Amino acid sequence: MLKFENVRRVAFAGACEFGQAGAYERVTGRAMFKIDPSESRNRSIVDLSHAPRDADGLVSYGGDFCILRPAEPGRGNGRLLFEFVNRGNKRALHFFNDAPSGNMPLSLADAGNGFLMREGYAVAWLGWQGDLWPGDDRCTLSVPVAREGTTAIEGKIFAEFTPTSDGVKVYPLSAATTCRSYPVVPHAHSSASLTRRRYYWSSREEVPRDRWDFARTEGGQGADNQGAERAVMPSDFHIHMPDGFEPGWIYELVYLGQDPLVLGLGHSAVRDFVAALRHGDAAGSDEVAREVAALEIERAYCWGRSQSGRCIRDFIYHGFNEDLAGRKVFDGAMPHVSGAGKMWLNQRFAKPTLLPGQSYENHTAPADIFPFSYAASSDHLTGARDAILKRPNSDPFVIHTDSASEYWHRRASLVHTDTEGNDLAQPETVRIYLWASSQHWAYPRDVELTSGISEQLFNTVATSMFFRALLRRLDDWVTRGIAPPESRIPLVAEGTLATFEDWRASFPQIPAVTCPASESRLEAMDYGTNYAAGILDQVPPAIYASRSYAVRVPGVDADGNDIAGLRAPMVQAPLGTYTGWSVRRRELGAGAMVGVTGSYIPFPETREVAEATRDPRTSILDRYPTADAYRDAIAAAVDGLIRDGFVIEEDRSRCIALAKDWGCSRHRVVLGS
């Protein structure tokens, strides 16, 4: 049962007309759900049986929603694009429309280039993550606490803190300001332990109990003209270290916590919300609310990036793409930069905000659990056989996209290999594209060259043009049966999917560039049963280095750029080496990679600079004698991508504009015109 409350409708983008779709409106409100724990399609939700029920035996919960739709629904294209919000944040307009990022789009500027509106899409968002605090207009979901009757449920909890700056003295136990923490059991403070280690493979050292406590600080104006003062007060939700957490160390806390949230309701919320939008079967408090579920939707697609891309894969894997009436929820799915992961959501004491396992931080996070691929395969360690797509009647068409960073940080090769690293053919309903030599977060707008905690500048390859083309390809596939181009991925059979050793032998020896140190930084561990049931049987989790799955990375050319995959114009006509990895600065974990980022390592400008620095890569002026020659090379690359169906015609001018003045908005090139 679903009811819409507090529904508000306002004109979007100042009632600007977007082609045939006309003006748009923004509809916001609260979706209130009631769910039956005895319904067969709900029984897989962990701890739903321990949630409080009303007099009818139903469990109540509710989430924020937002919809952008044609003010006259009949003028739209009959398509819904639903974004799985990332930690409550809306990103679809940012990446599909090159719009500014923001959680409450309303102005004409928030429409960006207007692509989704001109196409006629209704765009919808719903909070699905039940442990988020409200704020900054995030979409949140309120879910119940699981209890054994009137008794609190307790369990061991593992938390990690990885400071990157001095002066940090307090962390919420969730390690994220925007995320609720599972409180420590009041009587169990003394049994908790805090350790730290330099790298994930280092031995843990105990942090003495008198150096930390469960507490928080609060500042304010003191009494009697004492000025600003700070107080330290007990807290079951925070850890406090008076001397501060030392940057460059991994801190790990193990404590007895309580009050798990029924977070798996996030999946049923999306299922029931989208079903209501598609079929109009939702109650409402008034006529306006009922109209929310009357969008004239013929096809529904979902998109999510990173955390929310993993959520899409988890949603499909656990069977939530079939609604309570047995109908398909999403016809097509577009998980982006999810790597081989799924979601730590439908388990007891889950932490969906937690970053998935990286080279350095959160290395043991349980995001990467077999099965990894859409195709059926066997786990060579356990003998289990499984697939993400295993329900032909309800499985959607899938266009899965990853950047190079996911191969380095998120074990993306396992999406299209078996667990021993052999090529694995995918179902006909799946396309996978590596966005070659790009990084996890590829800014669609102009970027500021920065390195953060990395030794090198972060990767600046522009890729947003691919989103627009691939959405059209997905719609053609679902609606007209016109399949997208074949997958573009590195393959063992073609020599473009490499072991770490083969990659290291091929990567150019660029002066003053530290490369990732070891293949062990890439491993995907077999977690056994540690997380399968949502209950840790070994806290902190063990590292099973001898029980690892094979992880591969893209092979590279003489410049160090990826050979295979979907190569953006900036990669086809490069001004530097663009990698899927970056390495931490010396004081913050030298040798380990910075999570889900890549590097931009500029080419030498001239042959003289190359010789002086002993850089083996061809100089910029030897590649492109003038700025116009560089722009022409970008134009040729764009034209090829348009012919192949990966870029739409309107993006040609945008891509060429990025090449102006040696691509100065994304490159560091010191040359005249």
Side-chain angles (χ1 to χ4, degrees):
M1 182 184 300
L2 170 58
K3 184 176 181 179
F4 295 113
E5 296 183 351
N6 301 324
V7 176
R8 297 179 181 179
R9 299 169 59 181
V10 296
F12 173 70
C16 173
E17 295 272 329
F18 293 98
Q20 293 296 320
Y24 266 65
E25 66 178 2
R26 189 189 71 191
V27 184
T28 58
R30 189 82 174 163
M32 305 304 298
F33 303 89
K34 287 183 180 289
I35 189 171
D36 184 355
S38 66
E39 219 291 334
S40 60
R41 292 184 176 90
N42 297 330
R43 290 175 187 166
S44 63
I45 299 174
V46 171
D47 280 334
L48 182 58
S49 60
H50 296 299
R53 307 187 191 190
D54 63 16
D56 296 321
L58 304 179
V59 174
S60 299
Y61 62 109
D64 306 317
F65 74 84
C66 178
I67 301 170
L68 296 178
R69 67 181 192 182
E72 300 176 49
R75 296 183 66 178
N77 66 357
R79 309 290 186 266
L80 172 72
L81 179 64
F82 177 86
E83 179 190 355
F84 279 73
V85 288
N86 186 300
R87 296 171 178 86
N89 298 302
K90 303 178 181 73
R91 294 287 182 256
L93 297 187
H94 190 44
F95 286 96
F96 283 89
N97 284 24
D98 293 351
S101 59
N103 285 333
M104 196 53 71
L106 184 62
S107 70
L108 181 59
D110 292 329
N113 60 38
F115 171 76
L116 290 173
M117 289 78 215
R118 287 183 282 106
E119 295 283 299
Y121 277 89
V123 186
W125 300 269
L126 173 77
W128 58 264
Q129 187 177 333
D131 62 346
L132 288 175
W133 293 111
D136 297 331
D137 295 317
R138 286 184 293 275
C139 285
T140 63
L141 185 73
S142 300
V143 299
V145 172
R147 300 180 68 86
E148 293 277 7
T150 59
T151 304
I153 294 175
E154 300 177 354
K156 274 192 174 182
I157 295 177
F158 174 75
E160 181 181 302
F161 315 100
T162 54
T164 58
S165 61
D166 290 314
V168 178
K169 297 183 178 182
V170 177
Y171 279 104
L173 298 184
S174 65
T177 302
T178 59
C179 186
R180 287 176 167 83
S181 301
Y182 297 114
V184 61
V185 174
H187 65 75
H189 282 218
S190 61
S191 64
S193 66
L194 180 68
T195 60
R196 71 175 195 167
R197 49 184 172 160
R198 195 66 179 82
Y199 298 95
Y200 84 83
W201 62 87
S202 304
S203 297
R204 293 179 172 93
E205 57 183 58
E206 190 83 18
V207 180
R209 193 64 176 79
D210 61 3
R211 289 183 53 201
W212 64 276
D213 205 351
F214 290 103
R216 65 181 177 87
T217 59
E218 187 167 311
Q221 189 69 23
D224 195 20
N225 295 316
Q226 296 296 313
E229 295 184 315
R230 184 174 62 90
V232 178
M233 53 197 69
S235 173
D236 292 334
F237 298 88
H238 298 81
I239 183 172
H240 174 243
M241 184 174 290
D243 295 333
F245 293 85
E246 187 175 351
W249 287 79
I250 302 168
Y251 290 83
E252 296 168 315
L253 173 71
V254 178
Y255 69 97
L256 186 65
Q258 65 180 24
D259 297 340
L261 297 164
V262 188
L263 295 178
L265 288 169
H267 282 334
S268 60
V270 172
R271 176 195 66 193
D272 297 344
F273 177 74
V274 175
L277 296 186
R278 294 196 68 170
H279 306 292
D281 45 4
S285 57
D286 55 26
E287 183 178 352
V288 172
R290 286 191 294 274
E291 288 179 0
V292 173
L295 299 183
E296 300 185 18
I297 298 300
E298 301 170 9
R299 302 292 185 184
Y301 309 130
C302 63
W303 176 82
R305 63 168 308 281
S306 192
Q307 180 223 33
S308 49
R310 289 186 285 116
C311 194
I312 290 174
R313 285 163 53 87
D314 203 63
F315 179 90
I316 297 168
Y317 174 69
H318 287 290
F320 285 93
N321 203 46
E322 183 176 302
D323 71 16
L324 295 179
R327 301 167 300 200
K328 186 180 293 189
V329 177
F330 295 112
D331 301 289
M334 299 179 71
H336 179 59
V337 294
S338 65
K342 296 193 291 296
M343 198 66 230
W344 192 12
L345 180 71
N346 192 30
Q347 289 92 25
R348 180 173 288 181
F349 292 115
K351 296 182 179 182
T353 285
L354 185 70
L355 289 174
Q358 311 294 309
S359 163
Y360 179 81
E361 64 273 40
N362 297 304
H363 194 79
T364 54
D368 305 327
I369 299 175
F370 182 84
F372 308 105
S373 181
Y374 300 98
S377 64
S378 297
D379 184 335
H380 73 282
L381 300 176
T382 66
R385 188 167 180 82
D386 206 349
I388 291 176
L389 296 183
K390 52 186 176 181
R391 299 174 177 86
N393 292 332
S394 61
D395 285 337
F397 288 90
V398 176
I399 293 182
H400 177 113
T401 51
D402 275 317
S403 76
S405 288
E406 284 67 61
Y407 283 76
W408 282 94
H409 301 276
R410 299 293 311 112
R411 295 103 188 182
S413 63
L414 289 169
V415 175
H416 54 84
T417 71
D418 62 22
T419 59
E420 295 181 284
N422 302 303
D423 293 333
L424 180 65
Q426 297 299 301
E428 286 299 315
T429 55
V430 173
R431 292 293 186 272
I432 304 172
Y433 302 111
L434 157 64
W435 293 8
S437 285
S438 67
Q439 76 166 14
H440 183 81
W441 181 275
Y443 288 89
R445 299 165 68 86
D446 286 352
V447 299
E448 179 182 353
L449 291 172
T450 181
S451 57
I453 63 172
S454 171
E455 289 186 352
Q456 304 295 329
L457 294 168
F458 285 140
N459 190 311
T460 59
V461 170
T463 55
S464 70
M465 71 291 294
F466 293 149
F467 287 118
R468 294 181 279 276
L470 290 178
L471 181 59
R472 283 191 180 174
R473 299 291 80 74
L474 178 64
D475 186 47
D476 285 342
W477 203 7
V478 170
T479 306
R480 291 179 279 277
I482 303 173
E486 292 299 318
S487 296
R488 290 199 180 183
I489 50 177
L491 296 169
V492 174
E494 296 179 356
T496 54
L497 189 62
T499 64
F500 178 85
E501 290 84 359
D502 288 342
W503 169 85
R504 190 68 188 89
S506 301
F507 193 78
Q509 295 185 11
I510 307 171
V513 171
T514 302
C515 292
S518 170
E519 183 177 26
S520 66
R521 314 298 188 266
L522 303 174
E523 65 190 357
M525 280 75 69
D526 166 34
Y527 293 103
T529 59
N530 276 5
Y531 300 101
I535 300 172
L536 304 182
D537 63 4
Q538 184 169 358
V539 180
I543 300 294
Y544 298 118
S546 62
R547 289 167 58 83
S548 297
Y549 300 119
V551 176
R552 304 286 183 254
V553 295
V556 294
D557 60 21
D559 291 326
N561 289 318
D562 298 342
I563 299 170
L566 186 52
R567 306 179 91 218
M570 284 176 58
V571 179
Q572 292 190 47
L575 289 174
T577 299
Y578 312 103
T579 75
W581 51 265
S582 61
V583 176
R584 285 172 165 256
R585 294 203 310 263
R586 187 171 191 82
E587 70 275 19
L588 295 171
M593 291 186 289
V594 180
V596 292
T597 59
S599 299
Y600 157 50
I601 309 168
F603 289 148
E605 285 86 354
T606 66
R607 188 176 305 177
E608 290 78 9
V609 172
E611 292 172 352
T613 60
R614 298 185 180 180
D615 194 322
R617 301 170 300 164
T618 303
S619 74
I620 291 175
L621 287 185
D622 281 327
R623 298 166 189 265
Y624 323 103
T626 65
D628 286 345
Y630 170 66
R631 190 169 59 250
D632 291 345
I634 290 291
V638 175
D639 290 341
L641 290 166
I642 291 174
R643 287 193 299 271
D644 292 344
F646 292 114
V647 172
I648 61 177
E649 183 62 42
E650 72 176 61
D651 276 319
R652 185 178 191 275
S653 59
R654 297 187 184 115
C655 292
I656 294 173
L658 281 175
K660 183 180 180 181
D661 297 330
W662 297 105
C664 62
S665 65
R666 289 177 177 262
H667 290 101
R668 181 168 292 172
V669 176
V670 184
L671 283 170
S673 58

